[in-house]
Amino acid sequence: MENGVVIALIGAGSALAGALIGGAAAVVGASKAARSAYLGSLDVTRRTAQREVYSELLKAAHAYEAGTRAVLEGAGFLLDDLFNEQEGLPVRHSDSERSALRRAVSSAAEPQPVAAAARQVELEGPSSVAAAARAVQAAAEQLGATLNGIEDGFEDADGGLRPSTPTDLPREHSELLKSAISAFADTARKHLNHR
């Protein structure tokens, strides 16, 4: 009978050890599953917030680009008239027309909504997307400064006042803004689609 008791005790001990190991594995597995579910929902929430601020920057940047593109021709007219005026040539637009063009250019050249949206992207990150957002903001501010500075001048060697903005500069800065917007969209898309 001693052998039977020993075998029973060994069997009971083995069953108890197996139950403990199996229970511990179940607890660890459940803990990992709970952690994964929790972190997964956090990741979904974070990506949703990022998608929203990225979208807001794209909306603001596209609206700004469209608004400034609409006044590029008027900015060109202002520059042409300024150059003609400096050269003593006849200007193509009356003072009232130029005043209206100035107002249109000035109102379209305010990049503040783009800057505000870019700051929100910087908060959400990551750094690669934030850098692309800063590039959009810088391009918008550069275009705004160019448009607002159209009638600024500098004194040339002959003592005459010349416009400081070359006639093709507003269009160049507009193209730089379009490129920055496209680069931001690509960077944001890659980040959001990366797992």
Side-chain angles (χ1 to χ4, degrees), residues 12-147:
S14 295
L16 182 60
L20 288 174
I21 291 171
V27 168
V28 168
S31 173
K32 285 183 179 180
R35 178 178 166 82
S36 178
Y38 173 72
L39 292 177
S41 67
L42 281 180
D43 188 49
V44 167
T45 302
R46 182 173 41 87
R47 285 189 184 269
T48 299
Q50 287 173 333
R51 184 178 307 277
E52 288 173 7
V53 296
Y54 298 173
S55 176
E56 288 303 314
L57 176 56
L58 286 172
K59 285 178 197 173
H62 282 295
Y64 182 71
E65 188 274 326
T68 55
R69 184 175 5 104
V71 299
L72 285 178
E73 186 176 26
F77 291 155
L78 283 173
L79 283 168
D80 287 342
D81 281 354
L82 284 171
F83 281 113
N84 287 344
E85 195 172 63
Q86 294 302 318
E87 296 298 321
L89 300 170
V91 294
R92 293 177 20 187
H93 301 89
S94 69
D95 287 342
S96 64
E97 289 173 322
R98 286 193 289 180
S99 180
L101 288 172
R102 281 186 205 100
R103 282 192 304 276
V105 168
S106 178
S107 67
E110 181 51 52
Q112 182 54 32
V114 176
R119 284 191 294 275
Q120 290 298 314
V121 170
E122 286 190 68
L123 288 175
E124 289 294 331
S127 60
S128 60
V129 179
R134 283 190 297 275
V136 170
Q137 178 182 352
E141 289 172 347
Q142 182 181 41
L143 177 57
T146 298
L147 291 173

Side-chain angles (χ1 to χ4, degrees), residues 181-194:
I181 292 169
S182 179
F184 171 77
D186 288 344
T187 303
R189 182 181 318 104
K190 286 175 186 170
H191 168 68
L192 290 172
N193 292 331
H194 178 68

